[in-house]
Amino acid sequence: MLTNLPPSAFADPALRPGRREAGLLLAAAGLAVLLRLLLLEHRSFWWDEMFARYWMELPAAALLGEANRIETNPPLYFLALKLWAGLVGTRDGALRLPSALASGLAALTAGRLGTLAGGGRVGVLAALLCGLLPLGLFTGMNVRPLAFFPLFQGLCLLAAAEYLRRAAEAGSASALPGRTRAAWLALYAAAGLLQIHFHATGTVFVAATGAAIAIACLLDRRLGAAALRDWLIAGGVIGLVSIPQGLAYLGLRDAAPIAWAQPPTPFTLLQVLGRALIAGEGQLETPLLRGLFVLGVGLAVGIAALGAWTLRGTLQVWPAVVLPGCFLLLLLAVSFLRPMWATRFLVGLIVPTGVLFAAGIDRLWRSWPGRGVAGLFLLLVAVFNANQAFGRTEHREWFIPGRALARLLEAEPVCQGPVVVNRTYLQLPFWRHYGVRLADAEGFLLVEDAVAARGPVWHSQTLAYMHRAGLPIPRSLGVSEFGALGAAAPHLSLVLRDDPTVPLSPSVGAALEALRVRFAVAREAAWGDATPPNIRLRVLCFADPRPPS
């Protein structure tokens, strides 16, 4: 029991980093930032980034008003991004820079938590792992509010850990100087408010933090009523300030972009969580990568469990073990009440997971077989990072190579004319980010005649609202209209998403064959691998009618 530990158990000088450890922590954070800076423009914007890039162009009044009742992300991030873009422009790297810096600096919070948990070596390992976990590296190079989550959540965890440690050293929370208590509580409240006002998942994490610390205050007599009162006050402040945004969350009218493809279950939820943490997002799936993923998840679970066992009986078990547990329980409950993509929640576990991995690896490193296990795990992390950064990522339609595709349509003379796509997620409205001509190109979404007869097809209300702000949205084009367009236009570009699990309908296939008879394929390009469950993206530029036979 924590109540049986003497105050000296939390005042070990080994938990206070010296100059060498502090230098290594800074170096680890610097490495995390450097990797993100080197890869800032390596990939083109994907769906969520393109959305953020154009959503920020809405007027501030719209972001704070109607848009906040449509989009699941609160307006604070987009308002900040709007100001930033006004200073540096809208290039990929310029918009990604704040995310890279925030994501990299989160390694410092993980390092300090690791030092509190197990000393300087654990701290340095935690900083390295937090900066290098594939999911953290992926989100840290994205124009998304989630890129800031590890930093904000790391600050929340750090404030809780420091408060608990100092209260234990003083013998009770009431013995702490008022300024010390106020400083850590203010840091916790500020970081919690930023989370809630950057992304809806922040609400779940702040609730989990409050629950975990309240349990700690109730179980440890040295913390007692004074500590519980402090944290209830901090939670109350966060709750009061967040009432307007909470009402906006409750009034959301469009949950389509975050709906699950299948009903969530404990198994599917944990499966997605484990995969994303070890392998990252958007990678091409192959039998080899699936096998490495299974191996990596097994090692990760074992190492994290060993790390949790190592931290038992210390106050640091609360921010590193109990709090993530509360977070996952709340996540599971919320996923049933309002389905959401689990990987977006998992970003909030990057910092505590880094600490658990570091504690487990430090324990393993005491024997040669343990070093082999730890080395294999670190090697897998490096492999998935390399594959995520430089491998092919056309696993899903969100991760298409938008820059290369748009520049092909922009530069090739034979690719002029109307552009027709067969999936809403092919981002046709967004391609103008990479091509001037595409800003004015006539765009169409190819659908069945019965679908076209029902009116415009949007993937969500959010795109419809962006259309009101000036973003060009392709109009629905039935198969029969598609045939007429092909017969009349001198040039036509067709962008197809080939999915082995969802083949083209017979009517679309027939229309495409008719187009091949009328035109020659003057330019063709493809990205991806259409082996299940991956997709392939094809561009067919039709021009120059075939000479009569």
Side-chain angles (χ1 to χ4, degrees), residues 194-509:
L194 285 171
Q195 289 179 72
I196 292 172
H197 289 84
F198 261 58
H199 200 280
T201 54
T203 305
V204 180
F205 189 87
V206 173
T209 305
I213 302 306
I215 295 172
C217 294
L218 291 172
L219 293 183
D220 195 311
R221 287 191 294 269
R222 287 164 304 163
L223 300 175
L228 183 59
R229 183 178 62 251
D230 282 350
W231 287 94
L232 287 177
I233 291 174
V237 169
I238 293 175
L240 287 173
V241 176
S242 302
I243 285 176
Q245 186 56 50
L247 293 175
Y249 286 145
L250 293 175
L252 282 173
R253 298 201 304 268
D254 181 20
I258 57 173
W260 283 71
Q262 56 186 4
T265 67
F267 173 75
T268 58
L269 179 65
L270 296 177
Q271 183 184 40
V272 172
L273 288 174
R275 177 177 182 81
L277 182 65
I278 301 303
E281 285 195 288
Q283 300 191 44
L284 197 70
E285 287 200 11
T286 66
L288 175 60
L289 286 177
R290 282 195 289 269
L292 292 178
F293 159 68
V294 172
L295 175 60
V297 168
L299 290 174
V301 171
I303 292 173
L306 181 60
W309 178 258
T310 302
L311 297 181
R312 74 191 188 284
T314 73
L315 279 179
Q316 302 315 315
V317 76
W318 296 103
V321 180
V322 178
L323 196 157
C326 293
F327 180 64
L328 284 176
L329 290 175
L330 285 173
L331 164 61
L332 189 59
V334 172
S335 69
F336 281 103
L337 295 174
R338 189 183 183 105
M340 295 185 180
W341 290 111
T343 52
R344 302 184 181 187
F345 281 82
L346 186 62
V347 177
L349 294 180
I350 288 175
V351 170
T353 301
V355 174
L356 289 180
F357 286 162
I361 289 173
D362 182 65
R363 188 71 175 264
L364 287 171
W365 213 257
R366 300 173 187 178
S367 67
W368 284 106
R371 291 183 182 184
V373 173
L376 178 59
F377 174 72
L378 295 175
L379 177 63
L380 286 175
V381 170
V383 167
F384 280 120
N385 265 329
N387 186 60
Q388 182 173 250
F390 301 106
R392 295 157 67 183
T393 59
E394 297 83 11
H395 166 50
R396 296 185 309 206
E397 54 214 27
W398 295 285
F399 301 102
I400 65 173
R403 182 190 297 136
L405 189 154
R407 289 179 178 173
L408 171 69
L409 296 175
E410 177 83 6
E412 288 283 350
V414 294
C415 295
Q416 307 300 305
V419 181
V420 181
V421 301
N422 72 328
R423 289 292 189 276
T424 55
Y425 270 107
L426 286 179
Q427 304 187 24
L428 178 59
F430 295 153
W431 292 343
R432 63 172 183 159
H433 174 70
Y434 293 118
V436 177
R437 183 187 74 83
L438 294 174
D440 301 317
E442 192 175 15
F444 300 93
L445 171 63
L446 181 59
V447 296
E448 299 293 338
D449 286 336
V451 177
R454 294 198 294 266
V457 178
W458 316 106
H459 100 279
S460 69
Q461 291 182 6
T462 52
L463 279 187
Y465 189 68
M466 294 171 78
H467 181 53
R468 288 169 51 190
L471 187 72
I473 303 294
R475 72 176 181 86
S476 302
L477 185 72
V479 174
S480 57
E481 293 179 289
F482 173 60
L485 178 67
H491 300 278
L492 180 67
S493 297
L494 181 63
V495 183
L496 290 173
R497 173 189 180 272
D498 289 339
D499 187 338
T501 63
V502 186
L504 294 176
S505 68
S507 58
V508 172

